[in-house]
Amino acid sequence: MIDVQKELVWTSSMETTEDRSIPPELLHSLRQHSIFQRTNNESFLEKLACCMHLRSYGRRDVIIVEGEPAKAMFFLLRGSVDVCSADFERIYATLPKGSCFGEIGILYSMPRTATVIASTKCIVAVLTAEDVQTLLPQYPEVEKMLRFEAEERLALLYKSKNLNSDCKVSSKPMTERNVQDFTGTRNLLHKIPYLQDCPEEFLHLISLKVEPRHYAPNDLILCKGDQGKELFFIISGTAEVTNVVDTDSNPSTPIARLTAGDYFGDIAVLLNSPRAADVRAVTAVELLVLKKTDFINVISRFPTLQQKFKVMAQNSLDDWKLKASQLNKAENNSGSHSPAEEPSVHSPSIEASSVCSTTSDQDPTLLPATAANVLKKVETRKRRGSVAIWSDPHLVALANKAMQPQKEEEPTKMKIETAIHSTPQQSQFSADGPFALLSGEILERIVNRLDFISLIQLSSVSKKTRDFVLHNDRIMHYVDLSHFNKHVTDTTAASIATYLGPRVRELNLSQCFYITDDGFKTLIEHVPNVESMDLNSCWLLTDKSLTLLAATCPQLVKLDLSNCRKISDVGIFKLLNEKSERGYPELSELSLSYCKKLSDMTMNHLAEFCSKTLSTLNIQRCTRITDQGFVKWADTQFPQLKALNLTDCSFLTDQAIAHLVSAAPRLNRLSLSFCCALSDNAIEGLISLAELEDLDASFCGAAVSDVSIRALLSKPSDSVESIHSLNLRGCVRITDTCVNTILENGAKLESLNISQCPGISTNAKQTIKDSGAVHHLVA
């Protein structure tokens, strides 16, 4: 088992004597642990410390593995760990110093429910299963607390694992809900005033039932008159109460503001009445939600608490009604002023520019919005407008009116649907109309500037245009379907393929996340001469598609598989091997960013099959690729490799860079951003790259210093090129000396980024700006 392989720093196998001293640091850490603070049993802590082993783990070391038998539980004394899935793809929790993990398997005699890896260098105290079974029965209160903790942790783990696209509306986005603090639920509930002074057993039962939920600004959480089925506890954010029942106040006037620690929904749940008011999110709101049936089942075991909460619910209702009546009187009094006292603004308006648009979390591989992308409104998901919340009801009414969706976009959407699902039909027009005046060359220029939907619509104008679109070999060399990604599916693939054919040289299927291997097969069988293909974020494609791609598209040399997370080492091998066996051209450009299943084997396959042709490679965030992946490169040469992106390959060390420099001597552009395991030696080793012009070393931790930058900029005189672009953003070790080095060497940098570098003074930044040594400076 992996969690017993580390060298023991302090072991229970050492001789035990009466005067044996317990390491004070260990005992102090145990006292600070949340579980043991709840028990407050010093005798237990001393015996526990004597039974424990201390182990240290380096960053990214695997501590326990999902599915293995549980042999120990762990107390985190220093550092932090990630609780994740077996393939490291999904992080369920990040546990900080003072956390306990591994207790689920020990206390319930079940296999490990998740994998745990060290996210930083850490020290853990280990308690074996035998010690647990011997020690805990002597301390029943401690055993009770540990079992509570294990049950709460297990319940939240299962909730996190079972999240899917069918979650409740307004649920938190998946990318945000992947990370949950397992120990947080009970602690958060304990801090809510509504639940303070409640018995430990009650809090435990509630912790097992609550679920996290997220609401965006301006979302309606509760609607007056609805049946109450849930109780809400605010963890963060702000909500407001409006439109209270049995009052004459303005429905849009806020009656109360609720923030972290507040609660609502108890009135309908406990008094068996409809919702007494509207509750709307003002900012993004994080909630813990408790179903009425669960709450009633738990509280029925505590009659005293049940009566207490009913009284509190009635008091809340009375308080809201009182506030509403007071506000109503205030509004009536303000409305009785003379006309001379009326404000001069009679019809306030809101400029269109003052309404901002909210956006959802974007995929990390998406390119930033450009002017062209903004103008292309076709099949762009309509975002809900978000406006600030004013106390003036006139402004609120105007804002709500501005936020209503525009109906004029519906015909466009229907037009797209019709075009995608249709196949070429015989035109009802026998004449060519105005198009008869256009030569073939002019039509080619027009068609090559149309998007795909416009091209389909053009084909239905006349017989001439239809034949021209379907059969002219000088058009549609580049086809971009990314703007209509939601409509590129297995069902529509055959209709789309009708318009493609052997003339297509470049095909963009970026963000077509609905297409599977079957639909992809239909498409690529019609584009045998394609040379470049973008499959960015085609999530459903598997290794099967890569095998088919190699056999069907012999001329393919540029391929983007970014964020295709089902692609594995096997698929890459089949793609490259198939091309090699058939004698097809090897890949020259390849992007594998965020393909987290890929490992060092993929690097071996690249070295074996396309070392002579590869010019551009992107393996950003391929976190399974380590130094071993570059060992094979040490015995190979990549003479054409010009650009390499290693951003977020956080496990790479100086050894990987040494192999890289040897294998790719003509490297021109290199990104090492967030490669935090590198040192000065790695940067200094880049001196051997005679053609290196562009280096991104942002946020590289200890890898970048004044010394390494001086060495890098003092490249040998026989170097073909000097550094033109240098990104040192967030490098904490560089100081004003780095700036002086740039000026002293007379380096003429096209671009330099030294922002977020705390060691560089304002004066130094101003000096380099005034010097003119840098054409584009970000400081």
Side-chain angles (χ1 to χ4, degrees):
M1 178 174 146
I2 292 179
D3 59 2
V4 298
Q5 292 178 354
K6 289 289 176 180
E7 180 180 355
L8 301 185
V9 180
W10 169 269
T11 70
S12 60
S13 60
M14 298 172 62
E15 184 179 355
T16 304
T17 62
E18 292 296 331
D19 60 349
R20 173 183 174 182
S21 59
I22 300 172
E25 185 179 5
L26 171 59
L27 197 56
H28 175 73
S29 296
L30 292 177
R31 290 193 185 105
Q32 298 301 314
H33 202 288
S34 58
I35 294 179
F36 303 131
Q37 284 181 342
R38 289 154 69 178
T39 59
N40 194 26
N41 192 314
E42 190 69 18
S43 172
F44 171 76
L45 294 184
E46 291 179 359
K47 287 192 176 182
L48 185 67
C50 290
C51 295
M52 281 187 166
H53 313 267
L54 290 188
R55 299 199 187 109
S56 62
Y57 291 91
R59 187 172 182 273
R60 312 309 297 175
D61 282 353
V62 179
I63 302 176
I64 60 178
V65 176
E66 181 177 350
E68 286 191 348
K71 298 181 180 179
M73 61 187 296
F74 302 81
F75 299 89
L76 189 56
L77 305 182
R78 288 184 184 176
S80 61
V81 298
D82 288 336
V83 184
C84 59
S85 57
D87 58 1
F88 308 103
E89 177 71 19
R90 181 172 181 180
I91 297 178
Y92 302 126
T94 297
L95 304 182
K97 172 184 175 181
S99 300
C100 169
F101 60 93
E103 76 284 4
I104 296 175
I106 294 296
L107 298 176
Y108 292 97
S109 300
M110 59 187 296
R112 296 298 190 190
T113 56
T115 295
V116 178
I117 59 176
S119 57
T120 64
K121 185 176 181 180
C122 60
I123 297 177
V124 296
V126 184
L127 190 64
T128 64
E130 293 78 7
D131 292 332
V132 171
Q133 301 303 327
T134 303
L135 188 60
L136 285 184
Q138 303 174 31
Y139 299 90
E141 281 301 313
V142 176
E143 183 176 18
K144 177 181 177 182
M145 291 298 103
L146 283 175
R147 292 194 181 278
F148 279 1
E149 180 81 5
E151 288 179 12
E152 294 163 13
R153 186 91 53 90
L154 186 60
L156 190 52
L157 175 64
Y158 285 151
K159 291 174 186 176
S160 182
K161 282 188 173 183
N162 292 331
L163 287 174
N164 52 51
S165 58
D166 298 327
C167 289
K168 300 180 180 70
V169 174
S170 294
S171 290
K172 199 170 184 180
M174 290 294 294
T175 52
E176 297 179 37
R177 296 190 67 173
N178 282 350
V179 180
Q180 301 285 353
D181 181 358
F182 284 8
T183 61
T185 305
R186 190 263 176 203
N187 292 336
L188 290 171
L189 290 176
H190 182 69
K191 294 176 183 178
I192 296 175
Y194 185 75
L195 299 174
Q196 284 182 352
D197 302 324
C198 291
E200 186 72 36
E201 186 177 356
F202 174 79
L203 289 176
H204 168 64
L205 294 174
I206 294 296
S207 298
L208 298 179
K209 301 297 183 181
V210 295
E211 296 181 357
R213 193 178 299 175
H214 169 88
Y215 286 91
N218 211 40
D219 279 355
L220 185 64
I221 305 175
L222 294 186
C223 182
K224 186 177 78 172
D226 288 351
Q227 292 300 313
K229 297 180 181 180
E230 294 173 323
L231 178 62
F232 300 83
F233 303 99
I234 300 180
I235 302 305
S236 65
T238 303
E240 63 182 12
V241 181
T242 60
N243 196 21
V244 177
V245 67
D246 297 335
T247 62
D248 297 327
S249 62
N250 190 320
S252 62
T253 302
I255 305 302
R257 281 286 178 96
L258 307 176
T259 58
D262 290 330
Y263 61 94
F264 58 92
D266 58 319
I267 296 173
V269 168
L270 290 168
L271 302 183
N272 291 318
S273 60
R275 295 295 189 192
D278 292 341
V279 178
R280 186 181 297 272
V282 177
T283 65
V285 181
E286 303 295 334
L287 302 166
L288 289 178
V289 182
L290 182 62
K291 293 180 181 178
K292 176 179 179 179
T293 52
D294 293 332
F295 186 51
I296 297 301
N297 289 338
V298 172
I299 205 173
S300 62
R301 309 181 192 182
F302 303 87
T304 305
L305 286 179
Q306 187 172 17
Q307 185 59 36
K308 170 188 172 183
F309 288 146
K310 282 187 176 181
V311 172
M312 293 174 66
Q314 186 61 54
N315 291 340
S316 296
L317 179 59
D318 295 340
D319 184 50
W320 285 359
K321 288 182 178 179
L322 178 61
K323 287 183 178 180
S325 62
Q326 291 174 344
L327 285 173
N328 189 36
K329 289 180 181 179
E331 289 179 356
N332 291 335
N333 292 335
S334 64
S336 62
H337 294 318
S338 63
E341 297 176 346
E342 290 292 334
S344 59
V345 180
H346 298 287
S347 56
S349 62
I350 303 174
E351 296 293 334
S353 60
S354 67
V355 181
C356 61
S357 296
T358 60
T359 58
S360 63
D361 286 342
Q362 298 296 317
D363 190 279
T365 63
L366 288 180
L367 295 175
T370 63
N373 290 334
V374 173
L375 291 175
K376 292 174 180 175
K377 294 182 179 180
V378 182
E379 202 36 49
T380 307
R381 187 174 70 177
K382 182 66 178 175
R383 305 293 186 183
R384 176 186 54 77
S386 173
V387 297
I389 303 298
W390 296 280
S391 57
D392 191 329
H394 297 292
L395 290 178
V396 173
L398 284 171
N400 288 335
K401 183 178 180 180
M403 290 163 56
Q404 293 178 354
Q406 300 180 3
K407 296 182 179 180
E408 61 185 24
E409 294 194 2
E410 284 303 316
T412 302
K413 183 175 180 181
M414 294 175 61
K415 194 180 298 181
I416 294 171
E417 286 281 1
T418 303
I420 284 291
H421 288 282
S422 66
T423 55
Q425 302 293 328
Q426 289 294 326
S427 173
Q428 59 179 321
F429 302 106
S430 58
D432 292 331
F435 287 96
L437 302 176
L438 301 178
S439 67
E441 182 180 356
I442 294 177
L443 270 179
E444 288 170 12
R445 293 185 179 186
I446 294 174
V447 170
N448 282 326
R449 285 165 174 77
L450 296 179
D451 60 39
F452 190 71
I453 295 300
S454 299
L455 188 145
I456 296 176
Q457 293 169 344
L458 175 63
S459 69
S460 64
V461 171
S462 70
K463 181 179 184 300
K464 177 178 178 179
T465 58
R466 183 179 66 255
D467 292 340
F468 185 87
V469 168
L470 291 177
H471 305 302
N472 191 299
D473 291 335
R474 292 188 294 275
I475 64 171
M476 293 186 67
H477 291 172
Y478 173 71
V479 176
D480 185 359
L481 300 175
S482 62
H483 304 298
F484 321 107
N485 56 333
K486 293 182 180 178
H487 300 286
V488 180
T489 65
D490 292 352
T491 304
T492 62
S495 299
I496 294 173
T498 305
Y499 290 88
L500 301 181
R503 56 190 170 177
V504 177
R505 297 295 185 270
E506 298 180 51
L507 180 61
N508 187 347
L509 295 173
S510 177
Q511 313 302 319
C512 295
F513 37 74
Y514 290 138
I515 195 165
T516 69
D517 294 333
D518 294 334
F520 184 68
K521 177 182 178 182
T522 302
L523 286 178
I524 65 173
E525 285 177 345
H526 287 75
V527 289
N529 295 326
V530 69
E531 298 171 2
S532 175
M533 189 172 294
D534 188 346
L535 301 178
N536 186 341
S537 296
C538 293
W539 300 325
L540 301 181
L541 298 187
T542 67
D543 294 340
K544 178 181 177 182
S545 288
L546 294 190
T547 306
L548 184 64
L549 187 62
T552 309
C553 303
Q555 304 303 317
L556 182 69
V557 292
K558 299 179 182 179
L559 180 61
D560 189 344
L561 295 172
S562 300
N563 208 30
C564 294
R565 303 195 176 191
K566 291 189 175 183
I567 300 300
S568 69
D569 297 325
V570 175
I572 298 297
F573 172 78
K574 289 182 177 180
L575 170 68
L576 300 179
N577 184 63
E578 187 76 14
K579 289 177 71 67
S580 177
E581 289 184 348
R582 292 173 177 262
Y584 295 160
E586 299 294 349
L587 296 179
S588 61
E589 296 183 15
L590 179 62
S591 179
L592 302 171
S593 62
Y594 288 85
C595 293
K596 295 188 177 181
K597 282 190 174 183
L598 302 184
S599 69
D600 295 333
M601 290 303 300
T602 289
M603 302 298 286
N604 293 344
H605 301 329
L606 294 177
E608 180 180 357
F609 293 106
C610 52
S611 61
K612 304 303 181 185
T613 59
L614 196 62
S615 63
T616 301
L617 177 62
N618 183 354
I619 54 173
Q620 177 182 355
R621 198 66 176 176
C622 292
T623 50
R624 287 191 174 188
I625 295 179
T626 66
D627 292 350
Q628 290 301 312
F630 286 88
V631 170
K632 180 72 173 179
W633 283 37
D635 302 324
T636 313
Q637 285 291 299
F638 287 76
Q640 304 300 323
L641 188 59
K642 294 287 188 179
L644 178 60
N645 189 345
L646 300 177
T647 300
D648 275 326
C649 291
S650 50
F651 301 149
L652 299 183
T653 69
D654 297 348
Q655 182 184 6
I657 302 303
H659 294 319
L660 170 63
V661 169
S662 174
R666 301 189 62 189
L667 204 59
N668 182 265
R669 299 188 305 277
L670 177 62
S671 176
L672 299 175
S673 182
F674 288 97
C675 292
C676 302
L678 302 179
S679 72
D680 279 339
N681 293 333
I683 302 299
E684 293 175 13
L686 299 179
I687 299 173
S688 303
L689 298 176
E691 300 182 23
L692 185 64
E693 295 182 1
D694 188 333
L695 174 64
D696 183 355
S698 57
F699 299 101
C700 266
V704 181
S705 68
D706 296 333
V707 175
S708 58
I709 294 301
R710 176 180 290 276
L712 182 66
L713 295 179
S714 304
K715 296 175 72 173
S717 58
D718 59 347
S719 295
V720 179
E721 300 287 351
S722 59
I723 298 292
H724 291 171
S725 179
L726 189 58
N727 188 347
L728 304 177
R729 182 184 182 192
C731 294
V732 295
R733 294 181 62 197
I734 60 174
T735 65
D736 292 355
T737 303
C738 176
V739 174
N740 294 333
T741 298
I742 296 173
L743 296 176
E744 290 170 3
N745 285 358
K748 289 293 184 179
L749 294 177
E750 185 69 22
S751 174
L752 175 65
N753 189 336
I754 52 174
S755 60
Q756 299 186 36
C757 296
I760 299 181
S761 66
T762 304
N763 290 336
K765 293 178 180 179
Q766 187 62 42
T767 299
I768 196 170
K769 180 178 180 181
D770 296 339
S771 71
V774 180
H775 179 71
H776 179 65
L777 176 66
V778 180

